Amino acid sequence: MTEVNIQNESPAFGMGVKAGTGIAIGYAPIAVTYGLLAKTTGLTMGETLLLSMIVYAGAAQYIALNLLVLGTGAIEIILTTFIVNIRHFLLSASLNEKSRKEDSVIKKMIYAFGITDETFSVAAVKPGELTAGYMYGLNVTAYGSWVLFSGIGHLFGASLPQILQESMSVALYAMFIGLLVPTLKGSWKLVFLAAIAASFNCIFIMGDILSNGWAIVASALLSAFLVELLSTLKEKAGVHHE
Amino acid sequence: MSSSIILMIAAMGMVTYIPRMLPFVMLNGRELPPFLQRVLKNIPYAILGALIFPGVLYIQEDIRFGVVGAVSAFVLAYLGANIMVIIIGAIVTLSLFSLFL
């Protein structure tokens, strides 16, 4: 499907793979835990891997396991999965603004499969436009880690050193911080954006107002809109400082 | 593997893929109003803020783990460290912290 210009995609592919390494490390403890839980839930190795390969969405997979334990029906599990994952719509809409216009919609439909909170974050703060090659590389690395470590978790999750697993739980957060902080230097607008979104999210989650997925969507949309509104009004008032 | 669970997984995959893919198809070749474009460009920084807080505070039951992990990552990032250094640095800091606790 995509062999047409794989040649000029390859340097970008390599960059994507490199950018995905942090995600690959961060996914390891989460996927191992998922694999272990899947095993205790009674899923076979095949089913465990299939969920990771086809759904490829951490939170939804955890919730599905929970619901399976409770004996919830398939329709309800599918519906819950949809609700938990609908936030990807916002991520894709934002990435689409950055994607290379010349890339065919088919290529975008292929790399859309790999969009998660983490691949989104890495791709979104990368300078310049997003090429399909870069996105393939990023996705392959993150996806490979997710599937591989799901299997490892099912195989021998219980025997992995506890202290390493616990300490590794910080990995993805460290990555998010590492992606965010450099972009904040020199831009008060972005500092406000991140801080306001974080505050909204804390209120929504700590106040038990919204579930995790919806809280992130609501706080991101609210703050992105409010901050843009303020900066537009400020520009109209004739005050210019970037 | 029972076929009913395979069917369920396939359906879960479909309802997950559709929201990921749809914006690329719907917005293909379409120019959004400038204000909306700017809002969408703000989304990444807002999402990152919301992904970090309050989640990082809850990585362990003991909130100190989250604070130590977050602070070490912030310091490393502020000093301009490479992203892998930040990730591994935060893991090592937390491992040491739990050893000496």
Side-chain angles (χ1 to χ4, degrees):
Chain A
M1 243 181 290
T2 55
E3 60 268 14
V4 206
N5 48 6
I6 207 106
Q7 207 90 64
N8 43 20
E9 303 276 29
S10 53
F13 184 88
M15 278 172 58
V17 169
K18 207 171 152 223
T21 326
I23 305 178
I25 295 179
Y27 276 175
I30 307 173
V32 164
T33 312
Y34 155 76
L36 181 65
L37 277 177
K39 187 183 194 173
T40 50
T41 307
L43 292 194
T44 64
M45 174 63 105
E47 291 160 351
T48 304
L49 287 177
L50 209 60
L51 255 171
S52 281
M53 286 163 68
I54 292 180
V55 181
Y56 183 45
Q61 289 176 229
Y62 274 108
I63 293 168
L65 292 181
N66 253 324
L67 294 177
L68 280 172
V69 171
L70 297 173
T72 314
I75 301 291
E76 207 178 329
I77 295 180
I78 294 161
L79 206 65
T80 310
T81 307
F82 178 64
I83 292 168
V84 171
N85 288 332
I86 206 166
R87 88 197 121 89
H88 291 127
F89 190 90
L90 181 63
L91 308 186
S92 289
S94 176
L95 279 192
N96 183 63
E97 289 298 307
K98 247 193 111 165
S99 63
R100 183 165 69 179
K101 300 287 171 283
E102 292 77 31
D103 282 334
S104 69
V105 72
I106 300 291
K107 284 183 180 175
K108 293 176 188 171
M109 284 171 75
I110 295 170
Y111 70 63
F113 176 79
I115 290 170
T116 62
D117 292 333
E118 294 76 22
T119 56
F120 164 81
S121 303
V122 169
V125 302
K126 167 194 176 291
E129 60 178 7
L130 291 177
T131 62
Y134 177 87
M135 290 303 290
Y136 294 156
L138 183 65
N139 285 346
V140 164
T141 315
Y143 183 78
S145 163
W146 183 252
V147 174
L148 176 73
F149 284 103
S150 302
I152 289 178
H154 192 278
L155 211 63
F156 32 58
S159 52
L160 290 175
Q162 190 65 26
I163 189 164
L164 187 66
Q165 273 210 62
E166 282 183 354
S167 314
M168 278 186 80
S169 60
V170 78
L172 286 179
Y173 292 103
M175 185 185 78
F176 292 141
I177 292 169
L179 291 171
L180 181 63
V181 170
T183 65
L184 300 184
K185 287 186 179 171
S187 171
W188 281 106
K189 182 183 168 186
L190 299 188
V191 174
F192 279 130
L193 251 176
I196 293 172
S199 314
F200 273 131
N201 200 43
C202 287
I203 295 170
F204 292 150
I205 288 176
M206 290 168 160
D208 251 329
I209 298 167
L210 289 170
S211 71
N212 260 330
W214 286 108
I216 289 179
V217 171
S219 19
L221 271 176
L222 267 171
S223 55
F225 179 79
L226 283 177
V227 168
E228 201 49 54
L229 199 66
L230 282 175
S231 79
T232 308
L233 289 175
K234 231 168 116 183
E235 253 173 56
K236 282 210 174 121
V239 191
H240 288 282
H241 45 140
E242 282 298 310
Chain B
M1 228 186 296
S2 75
S3 62
S4 65
I5 198 155
I6 294 181
L7 267 174
M8 186 187 81
I9 294 174
M12 286 171 69
M14 214 151 66
V15 299
T16 305
Y17 177 59
I18 289 169
R20 277 174 170 155
M21 168 274 283
L22 218 52
F24 289 102
V25 177
M26 280 168 37
L27 302 173
N28 188 44
R30 203 176 287 191
E31 190 90 343
L32 290 170
F35 182 79
L36 204 57
Q37 279 186 31
R38 290 201 299 272
V39 170
L40 282 177
K41 283 189 178 144
N42 284 345
I43 292 287
Y45 311 98
I47 293 263
L48 276 170
L51 282 173
I52 298 168
F53 291 105
V56 70
L57 303 175
Y58 299 138
I59 54 171
Q60 307 270 309
E61 258 171 61
D62 186 341
I63 201 166
R64 286 178 298 173
F65 281 86
V67 175
V68 169
V71 169
S72 60
F74 264 110
V75 169
L76 286 169
Y78 193 78
L79 295 175
N82 169 283
I83 193 108
M84 293 308 288
V85 176
I86 299 171
I87 296 171
I88 292 165
I91 294 175
V92 170
T93 311
L94 267 196
S95 308
L96 293 175
F97 179 70
S98 56
L99 276 180
F100 291 112
L101 204 64

